Amino acid sequence: MQPQVEIRFTLNHRVVTAAVPPTMALLELVRDRFQLTGAKLGCGEGECGACALLMDGEPVLGCLTPAVDADGREVLTAEGLCGAKGLSPLQQAFVNEGAVQCGYCTPGMEIAAEAVLLEHPTPTVEEIRRGLEGNLCRCTGYVAIVEAVQAAAGGGR
Amino acid sequence: MTTSYLRPTTLDEALAALATTPTARVLAGGTDWMIPARAGAVPDALINIFRVEQLRSIRRTGDALELGACVTVAQLLKSKDVLQAAPVLWKAADRFASPLVRSRATLGGNLCNASPAADLSLALLACDATVTLASKGGRRSLTVEELVLGPRKTALGPGELLVGVRVPIRAGQVSRFEKSGPRPALEISAAAVAFTATVEGGRLTGVRIACGAVAPVPMRAKKAEALVEGRALDPALIEAAVEAAAGEVTPIDDVRATARYRRRLVAAYVRRCLEACTDDRRLHAAAS
Ligand SMILES: Cc1cc2nc3c(=O)[nH]c(=O)nc-3n(C[C@H](O)[C@H](O)[C@H](O)COP(=O)(O)OP(=O)(O)OC[C@H]3O[C@@H](n4cnc5c(N)ncnc54)[C@H](O)[C@@H]3O)c2cc1C
Ligand code: FES
Ligand code: FES
């Protein structure tokens, strides 16, 4: 049997606690224990980015990050990007630019895009593309997604 | 069986924990460890070293770059010192996976996982890096060749932790990192070549041609290196070195590529590296 490790961390701006086995993935923790189902399980092997989360401002894989390592950190999911008034400017830009089709990749894309904007507030197209290179989308062809990030950087029209 | 879990915050605590439980599994970023762990390969003890601050530092001393074992690929990419003092390592980091992996994949994990396709180990081999292993009993220093013994096999003894990497700084070094794949992101190398040399008056010295994913461990193509060492390159010499390198690697067929294709990739990459040295403009690009 695996021990349950007590952890305490900030999840979408709220301090939470959980007891987790060391091999549990952070994705499982946020989806199954906290019902934050934005982040998705795609491949489970680091290849698709559908599970992306922000940890202390850095983009990480929910599927390959041990939940125990969230202890003492700040974790943000796509739900956490929303403000009191609803969608964040970045999320609204995804809607406006038609960057969402089936939506499976979208929460992960938004997290990766948020990380790009944290590092480069006015990113070049190349910086956006490099920032999203770990996120696969089967539907959109990526162009609208890149445009959405550009639009968000340009003041969230 | 119960698994114990520890998250030391200092190196001394980590080494003490390893000394009491020598069979413990060390966890760094977990990008290699999580997949087998989730499939049920759970160790009896787990020691999480990812947030030991002492293992996260990048320091440039007079003649070397000192990197902690838990330095991440993202940290390497953000470091001007790495770009300037170990450009081949920076280039390997730039071609490594995706930002989501780079934020957690560590130098020590790449070395200790001992994959034949480990890109950072390959780059470190091409810059004559040494690694420091520590245990409660003391420290020792090994070359990358001495550390990585076979697929998933290292020279780490019980209770030993890889704590750091030292890269000697070579002035005027040119370098290239070539890796297979149809797009830059998320490619596990089917073959890779890390190349460093110093070029003076058209002659190459200190030539290192390290080949990855074409042998049980990252290996140097020493015959090819010897052919070009100290000589002025011409097309015939380049072809001889290319042939030597393709001849000395020992690739296998697997899901990613056939042995024959891997050999051809090595040949193409070695040719590209050497030809760049004969062309001032490309040389300049390789040196940056
Ligand atoms: C999607 C994806 C893409 C990838 N792409 C690449 C790529 O392009 N190039 C590449 O080379 N690799 C790639 N990898 C493999 C992996 O990310 C790297 O090998 C990484 O550097 C491992 O570091 P880690 O900190 O995550 O290791 P962990 O998973 O934490 O550990 C790996 C192994 O090393 C041991 N270990 C770790 N640190 C130490 C230490 N300091 N002392 C002793 N033992 C230690 C652990 O016990 C474990 O056995 C990829 C992986 C994924 C999932
Ligand atoms: S589910 Fe994590 S990368 Fe695909
Ligand atoms: S919108 Fe369907 S996968 Fe991206």
Side-chain angles (χ1 to χ4, degrees), chain A residues 46, chain B residues 25-26 28-33 96-97 106 110 112 119 162 179 187:
Chain B
R25 165 70 62 173
V26 170
T31 60
D32 277 316
W33 179 76
F96 195 102
T106 66
N110 200 254
C112 297
D119 291 326
L162 193 154
K179 170 173 165 177
E187 282 298 337

Side-chain angles (χ1 to χ4, degrees), chain A residues 51-64:
Chain A
C51 61
L53 301 167
L54 281 178
M55 204 183 212
D56 287 347
E58 275 199 301
V60 300
L61 295 166
C63 69
L64 295 186

